[in-house]
Amino acid sequence: MLISFSWAINGQYIQVNDTYTAQQLVQNVLVGNSPCANVSNFSVSGDAFSGVQNSYGYFNAGTSNFPFSEGIVLSTGKATSAIGPNSFILSQGGTSWLGDADLEMALGITNSINATVLEFDFIPITNRISFDYIFSSEQYLINASSNQCNYTDGFAFLLKPSDNSSPYQNLAIVPGTTIPVKINTVRGTGSICPPANQSYFDAFNGTNHPTNFNGQTVIMKAEANVIPGRPYHIKLVIADQGNNLYDSAIFLGANSFNVGANLGPDQLIATNNPICEGDTYDLDATIPGLYSYKWFKNNSEILGQTNPIYTVRDSGIYKVEVTLIGTNCIATDEVTIEYSSKPSLTNANLIQCDDDNDGIATFDLTKVNSIITGNNTQLSSVIYYENLNDVNPIQNPRSYRNTTTNTVYGRVSNSFGCVAFATITLQISNQVIGPQNPILKCDGDGNIDGFTVFNLNIDVTPPILSGLPTGLVVEYYLTNTDALIQQNPLPTNYTNTTVNEQIVYARIVNGPDCFGITPIKLKVTAFSPPNFEEETVYICNGNPKRISVPNTFSSFQWSNTDVTNYTTVSTPGNYTVTVTNSLGCQATKRFIALDSGTATITSVDIVDFSGSENSIIINYSGIGVYEFSIDGVHYQTSPQFFNVTEGSYLVYIRDKNGCGFPTPFKVFVLDYPRFFTPNGDSYNDFWTIKNSSKYPNMTIYIYNRYGKLITEVNPKGSGWDGTYNGQPIPADDYWFSITINNDRIIKGHFALLR
């Protein structure tokens, strides 16, 4: 039969003919006159676009790189508009072009519009059907806005028995799920819209693409089990959702309507389901009934393989032809098998110290994780087993005791589930670490309390490793158990928690292995020399001052760089000396040097002839802190002395800081007797002024109450004897007038008693 075609042609893009009838599309293109199914009752509907162009048609790849060489296109716009390049957005179809209720039910959507439907009946003579398709859409926008992510054009490949004994089954689903294929269930990364099932998304398209759509899925397979000889109805439908904008299309591969064989999905690295190296994989093409089987690898027949099951042992493209005996019905299927290598692992040795010499130790198996995997982060965690055939793993690999075996096994898988085992050999360290001397550390933190900071790496590690092989590392723990299983390690700067003395455990490590464990005694020794309190010293009158500490220490370091037990200072300031004892402990003493000096007595103020009101005030100058005395024995901080009795005094000033005192200054405090009794008993028989002889210019006159001069008393004599012209005068009050140095006059009165 000669058929006339209407083509839209451009060599580098697909070519579309929209004049095919429903029967031509199904029988000549999709089924390809397969003898394995009887097809009938064909229908197709969509939009005729003014009666000239249809939303469905036949396509071929032309010279483009489109994945299908030919097939059927069902669109929500003009079928010919599917032709590339991808140069503008397709939003064709009017609002009067309705959607499809069966599609909405299958996809769980509403408001479908612009539906194109291809339907037909068929009777299979085998037990399985499948066909290949690609879903393309303008809604695959690389620069979508967030609200555009919610629109989801979709399609459905609906199958049901022709007698309607069961509802439609949607065959267009994400493999291995019940999720229908839609814009928002199969989408790649690269846009604002969230990706989904990315392995089934092909690409977002640039301008120069064989079709005029923004993106598409990879080739996918719709498949279902059927009952041979039973009539079925198929409905292939696609529609826009929400509005009639941003068209979509389904491309069905020619001759891909396969009835019968099913080898299952491709086993690919890209889809994370390859076969593991060394494993076999059975391809089962069994169809009940009288069938013959022929197997192919990479398009070459595998001679002698006629069983319905073929065991694959290496990568390749495998195909089966299943022929219904006595007919021309040949069911075919093809599958790609890829192999993944198993993880490359490294066997390991793990050496542990034996805490009681019984040949059994506690091992942290996880220490060799990185050795086993080579730090390959793409591999799984290591799971340990005592035997290769064990089902249950070792429960606590961090503290495993080798009670029954010296070998365990680490199981690792890659991202494809391919498993490999590494052998871990457990060994007991025979190294013996000899007794260690206590580690002495000065309590030099300023608080002598028996606690101080040990830098374990500096203070402890060097003596431990002395004489041992190079490359060893030391770890520290509070208990022997912690050291064995390497839990709760101590920090490098560790302060002892028991006063003065504490035992910690040093674990010497050789890579991941235990070289030895030994207890270490940390001892805190106090160093607090006597008389090391802060001391104040004085530089007297500018003369250099020698300061010192006992010459009993190993070394001395003064703040002025002297290195003996003494130094000389000439200026005020703070001076320190740090001394070191034989253990290396240090202590520091501070000297505060201040200026001081001898006082100068500038004058003495005397208040006398006042009885109990007599006083002495010492006037002085100097930079020191002074004490004052008028008898050389008793000193006071005030230079003023009150209630001073008559007499001669030596005035003293001494520096409290030890800078000496000036020559004593002699002064006299004068006073007069308030009465006298000239009765010849040799007691108080004369009225005189004591120490008056020290004042050669002193004049003393005595008067009676009437102002009559009685006598002039000689300051150098014994005094007045109470007579006038040699005759005793009566008891009475008498007055005196004293002139000292011609400028000081003292007047008063006294009583003569008989």
Side-chain angles (χ1 to χ4, degrees), residues 34-36 126-128 258-262 285 287 291-294 319-324 328-333:
S34 171
C36 298
T126 59
N127 66 343
R128 190 163 184 83
N258 189 12
V259 181
N262 178 29
I287 298 176
Y291 292 89
S292 64
Y293 300 86
K294 184 184 294 185
K319 177 182 177 182
V320 67
E321 290 183 356
V322 183
T323 303
L324 179 59
N328 292 324
C329 174
I330 300 176
T332 65
D333 196 21

Side-chain angles (χ1 to χ4, degrees), residues 533-711:
E533 299 82 7
E534 183 176 280
E535 182 179 341
T536 301
V537 297
Y538 296 91
I539 301 170
C540 293
N541 304 312
N543 297 317
K545 175 73 174 181
R546 176 169 168 162
I547 54 179
S548 65
V549 293
N551 192 22
T552 56
F553 305 106
S554 298
S555 67
F556 308 84
Q557 182 62 60
W558 290 88
S559 56
N560 61 2
T561 72
D562 284 348
V563 292
T564 60
N565 71 307
Y566 64 89
T567 191
T568 301
V569 297
S570 300
T571 57
N574 292 336
Y575 299 85
T576 61
V577 59
T578 299
V579 299
T580 305
N581 68 6
S582 59
L583 296 176
C585 301
Q586 293 183 330
T588 299
K589 178 179 176 70
R590 184 166 76 138
F591 293 86
I592 301 173
L594 302 175
D595 272 333
S596 196
T598 304
T600 298
I601 300 175
T602 58
S603 65
V604 178
D605 294 334
I606 300 173
V607 176
D608 53 6
F609 293 103
S610 299
S612 62
E613 300 297 323
N614 292 340
S615 65
I616 295 174
I617 299 176
I618 304 171
N619 299 307
Y620 66 95
S621 63
I623 62 173
V625 180
Y626 302 111
E627 294 179 315
F628 306 89
S629 176
I630 57 176
D631 62 5
V633 176
H634 303 94
Y635 283 84
Q636 65 182 39
T637 57
S638 172
Q640 190 167 7
F641 295 84
F642 297 99
N643 196 22
V644 180
T645 60
E646 64 179 349
S648 64
Y649 295 92
L650 287 176
V651 173
Y652 297 85
I653 301 179
R654 69 180 180 188
D655 179 28
K656 293 176 68 175
N657 300 319
C659 289
F661 47 84
T663 301
F665 188 86
K666 192 170 186 179
V667 297
F668 299 94
V669 176
L670 305 179
D671 212 343
Y672 65 94
R674 274 26 179 196
F675 67 91
F676 76 114
T677 57
N679 54 12
D681 60 0
S682 299
Y683 178 75
N684 207 19
D685 283 337
F686 295 91
W687 186 91
T688 187
I689 302 299
K690 291 182 179 181
N691 295 311
S692 60
S693 63
K694 306 299 182 184
Y695 299 89
N697 294 325
M698 180 184 290
T699 61
I700 305 172
Y701 297 97
I702 298 176
Y703 304 89
N704 65 11
R705 67 172 55 241
Y706 302 108
K708 180 181 179 178
L709 177 64
I710 300 299
T711 187

Side-chain angles (χ1 to χ4, degrees), residues 459-532:
D459 300 331
V460 188
T461 296
I464 293 176
L465 294 183
S466 177
L468 295 180
T470 59
L472 300 179
V473 176
V474 185
E475 302 168 347
Y476 296 92
Y477 301 87
L478 268 184
T479 68
N480 188 60
T481 300
D482 283 352
L484 281 169
I485 61 177
Q486 291 179 284
Q487 70 178 8
N488 306 317
L490 297 180
T492 298
N493 292 312
Y494 174 69
T495 301
N496 56 303
T497 56
T498 59
V499 67
N500 294 330
E501 186 173 294
Q502 183 164 6
I503 292 178
V504 298
Y505 292 84
R507 177 187 175 104
I508 297 91
V509 179
N510 182 18
D513 302 323
C514 180
F515 187 85
I517 296 175
T518 185
I520 302 293
K521 183 180 292 185
L522 306 178
K523 294 188 68 174
V524 180
T525 177
F527 180 47
S528 181
N531 302 319
F532 253 57

